[in-house]
Amino acid sequence: MLLNTISSKGLAHHSYLVGDQAECAVIDPSRDVDRYLDAAAAAGCRISLVFETHRNEDYISGAQDLARRTGAVVWRGESPAYNVPYARVISEGQAFGFGDVRLTTLRTPGHTDDSISIVLRHLATGDDPIGVFTGDALFVGDVGRADFYPDRAREVAGLLHDSLQKLLTLGDSAIVYPAHGAGSVCGSGMARRELTTIGYERANNPKLQLDRDAFIQAKLGEHHEMPPYFRRMEQANAHGPSPLERLPDVQATTVNAASEALERGAQLLDLRNDQAIAGASIREAIAVPSDMLASFGGWFLRDDRPIVLLLDRSSDLQEVVRTLVRLGYDDVSASVAGGFEAWSTAARPVQPIDGLDVHELKRRLASREPPVLLDVRAPDEFESGHIESARHVYVGRVAEAVDSLRTARQIVTFCGTGRRALIAAAALRRLGLDDVAVCWGSMKAWKAAGYPVTGAKPQ
């Protein structure tokens, strides 16, 4: 039996290659399908089936392109409001097999109406399920978000509860293969492990300890961000994104040529590490450290303008381009040759972003003219404990708050450790605010110092 996990860094997305006897299926492929083609070729397998476990919002699917390049049939769940012309609709209990491998579908709606799970059996060792590909229904330590249908919030939360109960009947020894891991925007509180079992989740997953009414109330009380690019990806996945024969060929360019591209409307994406960005900020750049690009790039990048890259290391280029393509940004036109050193030695303006520690922050907050403390964490983080005077604006939404901040004497951005605060501070600077500082260490350091937190839940 063949079973490979193929993960996408940053997106915390897991897809799977599963099969037997020279034939296999791909479950939840991302757009850069060369990874699946290479893995199948290495295993001597032909890809004949592609499954999508649900409507994807957070990345561009590779299902249609993979089918086009292999002749595979795409299968997905039914959703009257979300018609996907390149896929066939799967029914409950439909079975597919390769040698001793048997894949059987379960309808598990709630995260989305079309959500399915795929039960894995290995007939050479018995008929009991050995695993289940749960999509975004069940994660390691959490369950899927259920907020994509706000007009049906209570109904879909109940559907998710019922779907989870169906998964629990598969037996405690069944291995759970989720579509996402820790760091994904499709849930919160996931454990930093790729795999789990039905039995472990039954005993330890907080959401699975709740009865139906309590589960629904818990889901109704959750607050997840809905990035603006979600709708764009949803539509692209419904109609099928443009074919991607290969990754964009990004050319090295001079600082002068990059500047000319910016004048014509291109976007400069600064992917250096957070300390480098803080030490020498390029005001016109969208600053997002490369390891945070998948989570936050889509909040700031436009899809109708070319992107010019500024990297710490040229070795990061391919992974950055893969991430952008997965998010639907194909027009990656160039990378600045020589990186920041070339930019700065060409006499282009750079300026540090001010930084302070929590002790200085506490002193300034107690002064006669305290700064505006802008907490840019997720809503559930803020509600679980914050500094009393803090104003909450999620990092991806700071542009919406700019006008109300223009009269502030100083703004200090704040998050869990300072990294998201740096992204927010750079965005505010790019949007015309000058006196912006980052609190390094942020909430983690504030708590370590023993300073008071409002709204903190008892341990």
Side-chain angles (χ1 to χ4, degrees):
M1 184 180 78
L2 168 71
L3 177 52
N4 285 357
T5 302
I6 300 175
S7 299
S8 300
K9 287 173 59 178
L11 285 173
H13 163 239
H14 303 310
S15 49
Y16 302 92
L17 192 73
V18 57
D20 194 19
Q21 294 189 2
E23 195 171 357
C24 61
V26 177
I27 299 171
D28 289 329
S30 64
R31 193 176 177 209
D32 46 332
V33 300
D34 57 304
R35 301 186 299 164
Y36 311 105
L37 297 172
D38 291 346
C45 280
R46 179 178 71 89
I47 297 172
S48 60
L49 297 172
V50 178
F51 296 98
E52 291 193 296
T53 59
H54 61 288
R55 181 189 84 193
N56 287 301
E57 313 274 351
D58 57 323
Y59 67 91
I60 298 290
S61 168
Q64 184 184 38
D65 211 9
L66 196 56
R68 180 182 64 83
R69 294 171 68 169
T70 65
V73 176
V74 180
W75 293 92
R76 63 191 335 277
E78 181 179 10
S79 174
Y82 191 70
N83 180 44
V84 180
Y86 60 82
R88 298 183 188 179
V89 174
I90 209 163
S91 58
E92 174 85 5
Q94 194 164 342
F96 305 83
F98 316 107
D100 286 328
V101 166
R102 189 72 74 246
L103 302 174
T104 309
T105 57
L106 295 177
R107 290 208 66 233
T108 48
H111 175 67
T112 59
D113 284 340
D114 58 354
S115 289
I116 60 172
S117 296
I118 303 169
V119 180
L120 171 65
R121 291 179 171 85
H122 191 224
L123 301 184
T125 57
D127 194 47
D128 291 337
I130 64 169
V132 57
F133 303 94
T134 55
D136 281 17
L138 177 61
F139 298 128
V140 181
D142 194 22
V143 302
R145 59 191 289 179
D147 61 336
F148 290 133
Y149 309 94
D151 56 328
R152 299 166 49 211
R154 182 172 292 277
E155 175 197 353
V156 296
L159 287 173
L160 181 58
H161 174 273
D162 298 344
S163 294
L164 293 166
Q165 299 309 303
K166 183 186 291 188
L167 291 172
L168 292 179
T169 67
L170 296 175
D172 286 352
S173 62
I175 300 169
V176 174
Y177 300 95
H180 289 288
S184 168
V185 297
C186 294
S188 59
M190 299 180 211
R192 295 193 174 278
R193 303 189 307 278
E194 288 189 3
L195 302 177
T196 186
T197 65
I198 291 292
Y200 188 89
E201 295 307 307
R202 186 197 307 276
N204 297 285
N205 190 314
K207 294 296 194 301
L208 297 184
Q209 313 310 309
L210 305 175
D211 64 26
R212 195 174 195 274
D213 288 341
F215 180 92
I216 291 172
Q217 287 305 120
K219 297 307 285 183
L220 293 178
E222 290 181 351
H223 301 288
H224 297 280
E225 287 294 335
M226 197 80 71
Y229 61 90
F230 268 26
R231 183 47 59 96
R232 174 171 58 82
M233 292 198 194
E234 177 187 317
Q235 294 305 313
N237 287 332
H239 303 296
S242 57
L244 185 71
E245 295 295 338
R246 62 181 184 275
L247 293 176
D249 184 15
V250 180
Q251 299 295 315
T253 191
T254 65
V255 173
N256 286 341
S259 296
E260 291 169 3
L262 299 185
E263 291 173 2
R264 295 191 300 269
Q267 307 165 93
L268 180 63
L269 179 58
D270 187 349
L271 295 151
R272 294 175 295 146
N273 68 71
D274 45 358
Q275 297 298 316
I277 291 169
S281 170
I282 301 170
R283 187 162 194 145
E284 63 265 43
I286 296 169
V288 182
S290 60
D291 65 329
M292 303 175 79
L293 176 60
S295 297
F296 300 105
W299 284 96
F300 302 103
L301 289 165
R302 292 180 53 162
D303 64 336
D304 59 348
R305 293 183 180 179
I307 299 171
V308 176
L309 306 177
L310 187 78
L311 294 163
D312 267 329
R313 299 173 300 274
S314 59
S315 58
D316 292 340
L317 178 61
Q318 186 178 65
E319 190 61 36
V320 164
V321 172
R322 281 189 183 276
T323 298
L324 290 169
V325 162
R326 291 166 188 157
L327 296 174
Y329 298 102
D330 295 358
D331 194 357
V332 190
S333 60
S335 179
V336 177
F340 179 76
E341 182 178 356
W343 186 272
S344 60
T345 55
R348 303 295 172 180
V350 296
Q351 185 181 10
I353 296 176
D354 189 21
L356 64 157
D357 62 22
V358 292
H359 311 295
E360 176 61 15
L361 173 62
K362 190 171 188 299
R363 188 191 68 77
R364 292 189 191 184
L365 291 175
S367 68
R368 290 186 177 183
E369 295 185 82
V372 172
L373 179 61
L374 200 66
D375 190 324
V376 301
R377 294 175 298 159
D380 59 339
E381 291 177 279
F382 182 80
E383 290 172 5
S384 70
H386 56 270
I387 298 174
E388 185 174 12
S389 61
R391 174 179 172 182
H392 180 247
V393 178
Y394 181 66
V395 58
R397 301 191 181 280
V398 293
E400 301 168 15
V402 165
D403 288 343
S404 66
L405 293 169
R406 292 198 187 280
T407 59
R409 187 182 67 84
Q410 185 188 52
I411 301 161
V412 176
T413 57
F414 187 93
C415 64
T417 64
R419 302 195 74 210
R420 286 172 290 174
L422 184 277
I423 294 174
L428 292 172
R429 285 272 298 274
R430 190 176 71 255
L431 294 166
L433 301 184
D434 291 310
D435 199 350
V436 182
V438 177
C439 179
W440 294 111
S442 285
M443 182 56 77
K444 190 170 183 178
W446 185 268
K447 288 182 175 179
Y451 295 147
V453 175
T454 295
K457 297 177 181 178
Q459 299 296 313

